[in-house]
Amino acid sequence: MKRVNVAIMGLGVVGGGTYDILTGNHDHIKRTQGVDIRVKKVLDRDRERVLGRGVPESAFTDSIDELAADKDIDIVVETMGGVEPAKTFIIRMLQSGKSVVTANKELISKYWYALEPVAKANGVGLYFEASCVGGVPIIRTLTESMQANRVCELYGIINGTTNYILTKMTEDGSSYEAALREAQQLGYAEFNPTADVDGFDAMYKLSILSSLAFHTTVPYGNIYREGITRITAEDIKSARDLGYVIKLLAIGRRENDRVEARVHPTFVPVDHPLAGVRGSFNAVWLTGDYVDDIMLYGRGAGARPTGSAIVSDVVFCAKRKTHEYTDFGIAEKADSHIEFATDFSSKYYLAVTACDRAGVLAAVTKILGECGVSIRNILQKGGEGEYAPVTFLTHTAKEKSVMTALEKIDKLESVRSIDSCIRCL
Ligand code: NAP
């Protein structure tokens, strides 16, 4: 039976989960997959933490040179996170003839173009199923199961922290601040939550997923990004009243040579399957030209689900004699014949606070009409004193038309504030 030796770099949450699976399910994997996978080395800064997890002393190292020189190590799992030194370590491992499996979405999104050629030149594999949507096998679905199709659309709830916060706000009426605090207490959100709540994490994942789905480089810099920090309890309530829930959606579309990629809070109709994805769960909805719609759902983070995705890559890699790389040749910049849409079309939910007097609503709707934004629904709510909140649901309109209209509305003396502009699915 084939014997494969693995090293893990970074024994934190995900590295620890990976170690537990590779040791705990060693016999099961050996029996069902026909490959004997052993963890030979664990690299980390903290010896005591590593030994405390049951790793034998002989397996511990804090030296990347030792890993590079060890000819018996076939596959290296990178679960340290961050860009450096992870990038340098991964390149070193690839150059030493070892395949690499990583969960590092930021690194893959930013430097995939630099890492893939090194893997290719050395005839080794670079795998990153765990970098997107934790335990949900989305990358293998895109690369190994959708070959018959042109994927034209991808909608994902691909960040568990923001989905947890929005679910709490929707179901318990929590404020954004209270829901974030709870997510931090439960370990779903970092002390510094920026990467999640400002949409960076979802943007990195969307860059990877849409590149694979659309067979062209989708740099993260070409993705429109907006986080959830401005979502208020009022927005959540309005969404409910209108038959929607608010989700942070990652949206990718390709039509011929036109690609659209964006991450932003979105009104999702309550009867859409993505509306039922609650708490820290994730889901990705894909549309292929022949398969039609499919949806993958599961845990997008955590030691065990993410470890499961890493081990799936380790097994996949261990069973291969040769490795495959992107068919389109991932690059630093987008292909010149691809046009990235900035003026996309959507329906919009708009909320403004305006003087509660005759003619004000007419002035606002006139501007919307002049900018080509047609209104589906207007709701004026009881205000306090001279001001009242008004919400609009539009028909499908162009992003730039809506932004131009909002700029003009904001200048009206009778409008106190533009409170919300949320795109609808
Ligand atoms: P973590 O718990 O902080 O684990 C990282 C481990 O690597 C820690 O033990 C850390 O030690 C060690 N480490 C970092 N830099 C090192 C270095 N230069 N030399 C030696 N050891 C080093 O992080 P994590 O949550 O497991 O995340 C790891 C990766 O998985 C990240 O890329 C993340 O984006 C990705 N990921 C995580 C999840 C999740 O649910 N957590 C899900 C999907 C993907 P110190 O603590 O001393 O720094």
Side-chain angles (χ1 to χ4, degrees):
M1 182 178 289
K2 188 174 180 186
R3 163 107 179 231
V4 169
N5 288 316
V6 171
I8 300 175
M9 302 195 294
L11 204 75
V13 174
V14 178
T18 303
Y19 181 79
D20 292 347
I21 299 171
L22 284 173
T23 49
N25 267 0
H26 169 267
D27 293 352
H28 170 74
I29 293 169
K30 187 174 165 187
R31 193 175 63 251
T32 58
Q33 302 302 313
V35 50
D36 180 3
I37 300 173
R38 308 280 173 114
V39 180
K40 187 172 181 218
K41 286 282 171 194
V42 172
L43 174 141
D44 200 283
R45 272 196 275 259
D46 188 338
R47 179 191 199 88
E48 296 317 311
R49 181 173 50 203
V50 170
L51 301 191
R53 284 203 66 115
V55 176
E57 188 146 17
S58 58
F60 175 81
T61 182
D62 55 9
S63 159
I64 190 69
D65 295 335
E66 188 183 331
L67 289 194
D70 191 333
K71 299 268 178 261
D72 286 344
I73 293 173
D74 308 289
I75 300 173
V76 177
V77 171
E78 184 276 311
T79 41
M80 299 187 305
V83 169
E84 285 295 355
K87 177 167 160 261
T88 304
F89 284 11
I90 287 179
I91 289 176
R92 184 99 191 267
M93 294 300 107
L94 296 170
Q95 287 170 335
S96 311
K98 303 173 198 322
S99 291
V100 169
V101 171
T102 178
N104 197 329
K105 67 219 91 170
E106 182 182 0
L107 181 62
I108 291 296
S109 164
K110 290 181 175 169
Y111 292 104
W112 188 1
Y113 73 89
L115 301 176
E116 182 171 279
V118 184
K120 209 170 176 176
N122 289 279
V124 292
L126 175 65
Y127 297 94
F128 42 86
E129 177 68 76
S131 67
C132 295
V133 208
V136 178
I138 177 66
I139 290 189
R140 200 95 69 232
T141 298
L142 287 169
T143 57
E144 302 287 322
S145 309
M146 295 289 280
Q147 300 95 324
N149 294 267
R150 283 173 209 274
V151 176
C152 33
E153 286 187 331
L154 178 161
Y155 295 96
I157 294 173
I158 56 180
N159 179 270
T161 307
T162 46
N163 202 46
Y164 179 84
I165 292 171
L166 292 172
T167 305
K168 273 281 160 195
M169 290 175 75
T170 303
E171 296 182 3
D172 299 352
S174 310
S175 66
Y176 168 76
E177 291 75 18
L180 170 61
R181 249 191 329 273
E182 194 177 325
Q184 285 169 322
Q185 278 156 8
L186 289 168
Y188 290 143
E190 303 276 335
F191 174 68
N192 176 356
T194 303
D196 292 319
V197 298
D198 285 334
F200 289 98
D201 176 84
M203 175 187 75
Y204 295 140
K205 292 170 183 166
L206 180 62
S207 149
I208 299 168
L209 294 178
S210 48
S211 296
L212 291 171
F214 305 141
H215 300 270
T216 192
T217 302
V218 179
Y220 70 90
N222 290 58
I223 297 177
Y224 173 83
R225 174 188 55 79
E226 193 183 305
I228 64 161
T229 53
R230 282 181 298 180
I231 300 295
T232 62
E234 198 50 50
D235 293 328
I236 298 275
K237 188 172 171 308
S238 291
R240 187 171 36 233
D241 293 347
L242 293 162
Y244 294 90
V245 287
I246 301 180
K247 299 286 183 193
L248 182 71
L249 278 201
I251 299 173
R253 287 207 181 107
R254 177 166 186 172
E255 199 183 343
N256 301 319
D257 286 339
R258 190 172 187 273
V259 170
E260 196 177 306
R262 44 194 168 107
V263 170
H264 52 67
T266 310
F267 270 37
V268 177
V270 282
D271 56 358
H272 191 286
L274 286 172
V277 178
R278 300 170 54 249
S280 62
F281 275 87
N282 282 194
V284 181
W285 174 281
L286 295 171
T287 307
D289 54 355
Y290 281 85
V291 71
D292 210 337
D293 298 331
I294 60 170
M295 185 163 118
L296 286 89
Y297 168 89
R299 293 205 177 272
R304 293 161 70 101
T306 314
S308 159
I310 291 204
V311 173
S312 127
D313 269 351
V314 169
V315 173
F316 187 81
C317 176
K319 289 168 76 173
R320 295 186 82 89
K321 288 197 177 73
T322 56
H323 303 279
E324 286 175 18
Y325 311 96
T326 52
D327 56 292
F328 52 93
I330 188 78
E332 183 175 7
K333 296 208 165 78
D335 207 325
S336 57
H337 74 279
I338 296 290
E339 177 206 346
F340 278 87
T342 47
D343 196 16
F344 46 83
S345 298
S346 178
K347 292 171 182 163
Y348 292 78
Y349 162 80
L350 309 171
V352 302
T353 301
C355 283
D356 193 5
R357 63 168 191 253
V360 173
L361 209 51
V364 173
T365 54
K366 183 165 175 277
I367 291 177
L368 286 168
E370 283 168 358
C371 292
V373 181
S374 112
I375 299 162
R376 197 174 108 202
N377 171 307
I378 304 183
L379 200 64
Q380 176 161 7
K381 300 181 180 180
E384 289 164 22
E386 58 175 315
Y387 289 100
V390 190
T391 65
F392 302 85
L393 213 50
T394 76
H395 287 291
T396 300
K398 287 283 192 185
E399 173 82 5
K400 283 186 182 158
S401 308
V402 173
M403 293 307 140
T404 306
L406 288 179
E407 260 176 49
K408 290 184 175 174
I409 292 168
D410 201 26
K411 288 189 184 133
L412 290 175
E413 150 283 318
S414 52
V415 168
R416 188 173 70 182
S417 54
I418 308 275
D419 303 321
S420 301
C421 168
I422 303 176
R423 297 158 192 90
C424 308
L425 185 63

